[in-house]
Amino acid sequence: MNETPGAEATHVPRQENSHDRSEELLSAALRYAEDQHWDVVPGTWTETGDGAGAQRCSCGDAACRAPGAHPARRDWQAAATSGPTTVRRMWAKHPRAAVLLPTGRAFDVVDVAEDAGCLALARLERERTEPGPVAATPDRRIHFFVLPGATAKVLEGLHALGYVSPAALDLGVRGEGGWVAAPPTRFGTSGSVQWVRRPTVSNTWLPDVADLISTLAYACGRERIAARRR
């Protein structure tokens, strides 16, 4: 076929293969279950809505705050498992489902703002303190995976440092009864959860939040001051 000299080639966006996406989600769920021995459970997923490129959550709520990235059933805690056979069966039924990890079992999660999390990671590296697995979410939050039982230790540590409450620092703890979305889960069209520090077979240990709290509190405090000055 002859092309007109000087004409620009039309760029055709690459369409994602839904089968590849489903395999990616299943592979991640199995890796968490088999390598890390973490319970996993499928969540919701996004569906094509009205209009070009529009996405809606499978839960049916038009105002869903976490489209495609939250529990899909009321009994999700009981359904969560680290059994590979069950994991395969669950994702075979809902291949596009988010990969959710219950907290308060193998780990808790300390949730901080993205800028504070990045500052904390830099300070921990300088201090040669290992933070363990760390994830970043599309809503600009950083998740630090720590040993279970973190809530009481966070409160104790913050009080010792002179802080009234975690809320004052925009610092949250997800423990028993909670959950986090794991990579490569997507938040609607906002993007995917990603590992900043990926869990591996050789990195199965988790830090005690008592070893991190002073650095996390410092970073969160600095970020709150900077935000007020903007």
Side-chain angles (χ1 to χ4, degrees):
M1 179 177 66
N2 295 328
E3 295 183 358
T4 304
E8 294 184 0
T10 301
H11 174 67
V12 179
R14 179 180 177 272
Q15 298 297 314
E16 180 182 64
N17 186 304
S18 59
H19 175 74
D20 289 347
R21 175 61 180 169
S22 298
E23 286 294 314
E24 181 184 24
L25 290 163
L26 173 60
S27 177
L30 287 170
R31 187 164 58 249
Y32 301 138
E34 295 182 302
D35 294 349
Q36 305 303 128
H37 305 292
W38 292 347
D39 285 349
V40 299
V41 66
T44 54
W45 58 92
T46 54
E47 300 174 332
T48 302
D50 297 330
Q55 296 285 313
R56 63 188 177 197
C57 185
S58 62
C59 71
D61 182 357
C64 181
R65 299 179 62 181
H70 64 85
R73 45 195 284 187
R74 292 183 179 180
D75 66 341
W76 65 269
Q77 293 187 63
T81 179
S82 59
T85 300
T86 306
V87 169
R88 289 182 183 277
R89 184 168 62 247
M90 290 192 297
W91 263 271
K93 187 175 181 180
H94 298 296
R96 293 181 294 156
V99 180
L100 305 183
L101 306 174
T103 53
R105 299 185 182 185
F107 57 82
D108 283 356
V109 164
V110 178
D111 177 345
V112 302
E114 183 179 73
D115 288 345
C118 291
L119 175 58
L121 281 170
R123 287 181 65 87
L124 290 169
E125 183 177 350
R126 288 198 298 272
E127 296 165 0
R128 297 185 179 180
T129 300
E130 289 291 334
V134 179
T137 67
D139 57 351
R140 300 180 65 83
R141 305 294 295 182
I142 298 293
H143 291 168
F144 289 80
F145 286 61
V146 298
L147 290 172
T151 299
K153 291 183 178 182
V154 165
L155 291 173
E156 181 181 347
L158 292 182
H159 288 164
L161 293 167
Y163 294 100
V164 176
S165 70
L169 293 172
D170 190 19
L171 182 155
V173 182
R174 304 191 189 194
E176 185 176 357
W179 56 272
V180 290
T185 297
R186 289 181 181 167
F187 282 34
T189 58
S190 299
S192 300
V193 185
Q194 299 182 12
W195 287 114
V196 178
R197 289 178 56 91
R198 183 183 302 273
T200 64
V201 175
S202 60
N203 180 27
T204 57
W205 69 274
L206 294 170
D208 189 323
V209 72
D211 297 329
L212 308 182
I213 190 59
S214 62
T215 300
L216 290 172
Y218 168 82
C220 289
R222 284 285 301 272
E223 172 54 25
R224 298 288 276 186
I225 293 172
R228 287 197 293 267
R229 291 175 176 173
R230 294 188 189 116

